[in-house]
Amino acid sequence: MQPDWKLGIEFIQCFSYLLNVYDTPEEVLVCHQQFEKAFFEFYTAFQNASVEEIGQLHHWTGYVSMFLLPYQGLPTRHLQQMYGQFVHDVMTKIIPKGKERPAMPKLSPDIPVRVGILCGFFRRHTVWKLMLHNWIKYLNNEKIKIYAYYPQDYTDECTETIKRYCHKFEMGIRPLESWFELIRSDQLHLMLLPEIGMDLDVIKLASLWLAPIQCMSWGHPDTSGLPTIDYFLSSELMEPETGDSEYCEQLVRLKNLGIQFSPLPEDERAPITRQEYGLKPDAVLYGCLQSVFKYLPQFDYIYPEIAAAVGNCQFVFISHHMTKHSRQRFEARLERAFSAKNLHWQDYCFISRPLNFYGFTSMLHCLDIFLDSIEWSGGCTTLEALNYGQLPIVTTPGRFMRGRHTAGILTQLGLPELIAPTVRDYIHKAIELGQNVAYREWIQQQIQTNLPRVMADQEGLKSLEAFILQTVYSYRN
């Protein structure tokens, strides 16, 4: 629609290198390098953009994002920092007051600390289950008052639950300038964002100074790159020793998992059966129920290696987030991987239709073993596989926090034997579980015994409250 707007076209073209499904490991690296080159060239040109062009870019930042970048399994900090500075520069041209960090409002023992929570997912969503529900339920007390901001107009039963716990709850579609003024007028002591990177309005607001202290957590587990975020609230069980170097923010390792999970009640209907799904009735079923962009091509070989050893087995994927094109690419990868072992991928792989909550929990009841995705681990999915299906889960820790969620959960659960130190050990562990029914049953008994204490653990919430109070009261304007 604007064919002569060179800067805008360059901006949009950058993101064409971030794919849902990569064909080969080499393509992952090439796309990463091409994105880096293209975005650097765009950012250099952006430095000389006119006010009018910056105003146009303000609208486009709500349509494209860096969401897919960390799924490449490569370091992201330098690119996220460049993008974060870009968003900050654009937004502060539109809302100049957002460039200045506000002063810390008055504090005294008889005044509760005002904590804002800004999120686009105050509804039935992964972020609600991992963080929002228990954050607001637990933190809104005599010491802390929660001010919730939801820049969307979709509501469900979770939204109504949240409203009951908040000191203040604001929601709806309104101009970002209006949201900025509203939030600033509440004179918050600290702003808390459960994720930055999924909701595109939230990242634009997060690029402004809304409160004197601003923190994010791991709802989307990657650095924001924004110059306006002071702290990244993570988990001591999930972070590698070198984790600090991966964030633009100051890393805070909250106790244990850093969260308390809030699973939804399971559907009262009888679960859908293997036969109704079209799954093999007598095979060992391995669950691979992550979004397709979590599966990197360099790890495709693990499935035929497991299949060759176990024999009668089936790997269950879901077509969630699969376009026709990405499904074709993914199926072609599976075909190559299984052909290398002289196997037919259709004999061992099943790609389910997208699943709603009832379909997902039903599928968990059909499975025997859950295989964690490598370099971007399951978080909510892992906790649900344990909670609803008591499924043994095989994982191997990735290089970054986003690839170590399941390892942290299994450590908290007291099942470190399911954490494989290498991908080769991961394969051996998956084969052992597939061949040894008694071992699987023993693991399931351990899950049933130990899971309640994981679900009830509030150490992460307690350390979050302690962090908020200490950080606010020690702050100096």
Side-chain angles (χ1 to χ4, degrees):
M1 295 177 69
Q2 294 176 269
D4 58 343
W5 184 32
K6 185 173 184 293
L7 186 66
I9 292 170
E10 288 177 353
F11 177 66
I12 300 301
Q13 285 179 332
C14 293
F15 296 89
S16 67
Y17 299 115
L18 304 181
L19 308 181
N20 271 26
V21 176
Y22 296 93
D23 190 50
T24 63
E26 292 74 23
E27 186 180 45
V28 176
L29 186 58
V30 168
C31 282
H32 184 85
Q33 293 169 341
Q34 288 176 322
F35 176 82
E36 182 175 28
K37 179 177 182 293
F39 196 82
F40 179 78
E41 291 174 352
F42 158 77
Y43 189 71
T44 301
F46 166 74
Q47 306 303 309
N48 299 314
S50 67
V51 174
E52 181 184 0
E53 285 183 311
I54 290 174
Q56 292 173 315
L57 286 169
H58 159 244
H59 296 293
W60 278 107
T61 55
Y63 291 98
V64 294
S65 76
M66 301 282 271
F67 174 77
L68 289 170
L69 177 69
Y71 290 97
Q72 293 176 333
L74 298 167
T76 63
R77 176 176 171 169
H78 68 298
L79 288 171
Q80 292 284 21
Q81 191 164 18
M82 196 186 309
Y83 180 76
Q85 187 64 51
F86 157 72
V87 178
H88 176 71
D89 291 345
V90 168
M91 289 303 300
T92 52
K93 290 289 186 183
I94 306 301
I95 307 176
K97 286 191 290 186
K99 199 168 187 175
E100 300 299 324
R101 188 193 296 256
M104 178 64 72
K106 180 182 177 181
L107 284 165
S108 67
D110 59 332
I111 299 177
V113 171
R114 293 187 292 278
V115 173
I117 298 182
L118 171 62
C119 187
F121 302 107
F122 283 101
R123 57 179 174 81
R124 182 183 282 218
H125 187 272
T126 294
V127 173
W128 186 90
K129 289 179 277 188
L130 285 175
M131 294 152 190
L132 284 175
H133 182 215
N134 276 317
W135 273 6
I136 292 178
K137 182 178 178 181
Y138 179 85
L139 292 176
N140 200 55
N141 54 41
E142 294 180 356
K143 298 178 181 178
I144 295 174
K145 293 302 178 188
I146 295 295
Y147 291 65
Y149 307 101
Y150 179 33
Q152 302 293 337
D153 58 3
Y154 177 85
T155 64
D156 59 19
E157 75 282 4
C158 297
T159 318
E160 297 306 313
T161 298
I162 289 291
K163 288 180 181 179
R164 296 199 301 268
Y165 295 130
C166 297
H167 178 73
K168 179 179 181 179
F169 185 88
E170 293 283 349
M171 68 170 289
I173 305 297
R174 62 182 80 182
L176 293 179
E177 295 92 332
S178 175
W179 272 113
F180 174 78
E181 295 295 342
L182 170 66
I183 296 171
R184 275 287 195 105
S185 69
D186 285 333
Q187 293 190 299
L188 302 173
H189 297 102
L190 181 144
M191 175 60 83
L192 188 54
L193 297 106
E195 70 84 23
I196 297 177
M198 290 189 285
D199 187 284
L200 297 176
D201 281 337
V202 164
I203 189 173
K204 290 196 281 188
L205 284 168
S207 73
L208 304 169
W209 282 110
L210 306 170
I213 303 169
Q214 301 196 153
C215 318
M216 67 174 291
S217 193
W218 57 274
H220 186 62
D222 193 27
T223 182
S224 70
L226 296 171
T228 51
I229 304 299
D230 300 299
Y231 299 96
F232 188 99
L233 307 178
S234 187
S235 154
E236 67 177 1
L237 294 181
M238 297 180 186
E239 282 291 344
E241 291 183 6
T242 58
D244 301 72
S245 64
E246 302 302 326
Y247 301 96
C248 299
E249 309 80 13
Q250 183 175 334
L251 179 62
V252 178
R253 292 174 168 87
L254 298 178
K255 290 291 184 183
N256 296 339
L257 301 180
I259 58 163
Q260 184 183 5
F261 185 60
S262 294
L264 296 171
E266 192 162 5
D267 198 292
E268 295 181 355
R269 290 172 289 178
I272 303 167
T273 64
R274 285 189 177 194
Q275 182 179 3
E276 290 170 317
Y277 277 121
L279 298 166
K280 291 183 178 180
D282 58 346
V284 175
L285 293 191
Y286 291 92
C288 310
L289 305 184
Q290 302 287 359
S291 298
V292 66
F293 39 75
K294 285 191 176 183
Y295 295 103
L296 290 168
Q298 56 263 44
F299 304 117
D300 290 346
Y301 73 94
I302 70 175
Y303 309 111
E305 290 215 13
I306 295 168
V310 175
N312 186 22
C313 65
Q314 194 170 32
F315 302 93
V316 183
F317 299 91
I318 54 174
S319 55
H320 183 57
H321 286 304
M322 282 190 189
T323 64
K324 179 180 179 181
H325 178 65
S326 62
R327 178 165 180 155
Q328 289 173 341
R329 287 195 126 209
F330 189 63
E331 289 179 351
R333 277 173 34 186
L334 292 175
E335 181 178 16
R336 286 200 304 270
F338 278 83
S339 294
K341 293 289 263 185
N342 295 316
L343 300 173
H344 298 290
W345 75 273
Q346 297 97 329
D347 294 338
Y348 296 95
C349 298
F350 178 89
I351 300 180
S352 166
R353 65 183 185 276
L355 302 173
N356 59 18
F357 179 68
Y358 171 52
F360 178 75
T361 55
S362 294
M363 183 66 80
L364 293 176
H365 289 296
C366 294
L367 302 175
D368 297 296
I369 301 153
F370 205 93
L371 296 180
D372 196 25
S373 43
I374 300 173
E375 292 294 2
W376 190 299
S377 178
C380 181
T381 311
T382 293
L383 288 161
E384 289 181 327
L386 293 168
N387 182 64
Y388 302 117
Q390 291 79 53
L391 289 172
I393 299 178
V394 182
T395 192
T396 185
R399 290 172 291 173
F400 313 111
M401 182 265 189
R402 57 186 177 269
R404 304 169 72 92
H405 301 157
T406 298
I409 293 165
L410 291 174
T411 299
Q412 177 81 351
L413 190 61
L415 285 171
E417 56 265 55
L418 296 180
I419 306 171
T422 67
V423 177
R424 179 56 50 190
D425 295 318
Y426 175 107
I427 294 169
H428 291 160
K429 181 61 65 176
I431 292 170
E432 180 184 12
L433 285 165
Q435 293 176 335
N436 192 333
V437 176
Y439 183 38
R440 291 205 303 270
E441 291 175 346
W442 180 82
I443 291 290
Q444 288 178 318
Q445 290 172 359
Q446 298 304 303
I447 293 170
Q448 290 170 357
T449 300
N450 298 343
L451 189 61
R453 73 168 183 248
V454 175
M455 294 298 191
D457 180 60
Q458 291 195 339
E459 290 304 307
L461 291 173
K462 290 178 181 178
S463 64
L464 174 59
E465 178 175 310
F467 164 80
I468 289 171
L469 295 175
Q470 179 182 356
T471 305
V472 169
Y473 278 106
S474 63
Y475 183 84
R476 296 290 180 268
N477 284 319

